[in-house]
Amino acid sequence: MNAPRRASYHHGDLHRSLLDAADIELELNGIEKFSLRAVAKRASVSHGAPAHHFGNADGLLTALATRGYGGFIAAQDRRENLAGDSPRAKLAASGLGYIDFATAHPALFRLMFTSERTDKANPSLADAANAAFEKLTRHIETIQHRDPYTDQLAMADVLACWGIAHGLADLMISGRLGRATFLAEMSEEERDAFFAEIILRGVSPQRGV
Amino acid sequence: MNAPRRASYHHGDLHRSLLDAADIELELNGIEKFSLRAVAKRASVSHGAPAHHFGNADGLLTALATRGYGGFIAAQDRRENLAGDSPRAKLAASGLGYIDFATAHPALFRLMFTSERTDKANPSLADAANAAFEKLTRHIETIQHRDPYTDQLAMADVLACWGIAHGLADLMISGRLGRATFLAEMSEEERDAFFAEIILRGVSPQRGV
DNA sequence: GCGCCGAACTTGACAGTGTCTAGATTGGCG
DNA sequence: CGCCAATCTAGACACTGTCAAGTTCGGCGC
């Protein structure tokens, strides 16, 4: 079928293969030990091959980050589909999906949000990041009946919720939440409820409507 | 006075000089482009010299992160001293100091919180990080009259406030808060008040007492 | 006051990295 | 069917961190 047809000089779909290999290498070694040559070796290709598809190492990482946002949004959708119908339940679920993704793909999450090896001017990457942000603003808009882009109070809710979800996710994958010993003793449902409650602290008490 | 007495073979206080040089190099180039040889060159010393004081590059970075926590706590103290007497005002001020430090030393902040090049098992580093955490727990304890280490509700407040401050700081230094355009138009006082209000959302409504 | 020991520092070598250039291969269009 | 251009390889270069061996010298014992 799609066996690695590599009796040939050309590859077939090296672009995707390189992204897959880079993904694996990234999670294995982290961004700070990321090696382009190791990626090439994993894809069974010469060390110079990636340049033709991605320009340089940062280009490959930028493409990987862009692809990452797909999984990022999918993780949030998955949670939302399991949640209740209330706008607040959807928002909390989205936040849990945010944390899910970070814990499942910590290195990729770091690449997407805190690495400097990504070209933030890249239009595809910017679009992908923007889509994720849009998702959040619409949740808040549904809850507060105000457009965060024009209403400063609604934007405060956006930043608050984002900050909480992002902060918890980042602290979690750097192992900083270990001091809250009871977290480890909780069941999955209890932990979800615990984080959901914290995330919802980000939205200010409903005014009007 | 303490001019660089470097007509001599030995250096005098290379340990400190290397940390200073590493600090500068870190903020200039970021962690991902950090070069040990560039640090040595900046300290006017051979590329092999750092090894004698710090073992390897990660050892130097670990020491730098440890020293960083001093400035981190100092930044929070500075804000607290300017704040009102109420426990909540102190907590909010501490959070603003958290953000102050991140924006003033973004690369060092990254090294301390999200880099993998730091030896988290190092006792000095662990102690320093712990002191910063202790600071936060005592703020919450003062507000809620409960010990976060034994009271799960109080610990939720700790994680919530930490998550918000950390998330905002991290998003801010990665330039993600630019979409909230009104932030740039605010005066310093307005922005402080804006963030302080958000940070205080982390503490749940006071129960009892 | 003197010698010498060990800490501090230098120097050179080594494997590994990303990027560039020149050359080999080959799928697919005219 | 032939050739072009995209794809991939192979080698070279400068740079990285680490290691081992050699050089310098402050400060302790006598």
Side-chain angles (χ1 to χ4, degrees), chain A residues 29-32 69 98 110 112-117 120 129-130 133 149 152-153 155-157 159-160 162-164 166-168 170-171 174 176-177 179-180 182-183 186 194 197-198 201-204, chain B residues 29-32 69 98 110 112-117 120 129-130 133 149 152-153 155-157 159-160 162-164 166-168 170-171 174 176-177 179-180 182-183 186 194 197-198 201-204:
Chain A
N29 303 325
I31 318 174
E32 285 157 349
Y69 276 100
Y98 199 113
R110 245 70 192 266
M112 291 160 55
F113 282 99
T114 92
S115 175
E116 299 160 10
R117 304 196 58 179
K120 289 170 189 169
N130 219 58
F133 181 74
Y149 286 108
Q152 186 165 319
L153 292 172
M155 184 55 92
D157 284 13
L159 299 191
W162 194 11
I164 295 176
H166 184 78
L168 288 178
D170 195 47
L171 291 173
S174 46
R176 307 242 162 200
L177 265 40
R179 270 176 284 236
F182 58 84
L183 269 177
M186 281 181 171
F194 182 79
E197 188 271 333
I198 290 181
R201 294 184 188 187
V203 352
S204 61
Chain B
N29 302 327
I31 318 174
E32 284 157 349
Y69 276 100
Y98 199 112
R110 246 67 191 270
M112 291 160 56
F113 282 99
T114 92
S115 175
E116 299 161 9
R117 304 197 58 180
K120 290 170 187 170
N130 219 58
F133 182 73
Y149 286 109
Q152 186 165 319
L153 292 173
M155 184 54 93
D157 283 13
L159 298 191
W162 194 11
I164 295 175
H166 184 78
L168 288 178
D170 194 47
L171 292 172
S174 47
R176 306 242 164 203
L177 264 41
R179 270 176 283 237
F182 60 84
L183 269 177
M186 281 179 170
F194 181 79
E197 188 270 334
I198 291 181
R201 293 184 188 188
V203 352
S204 60

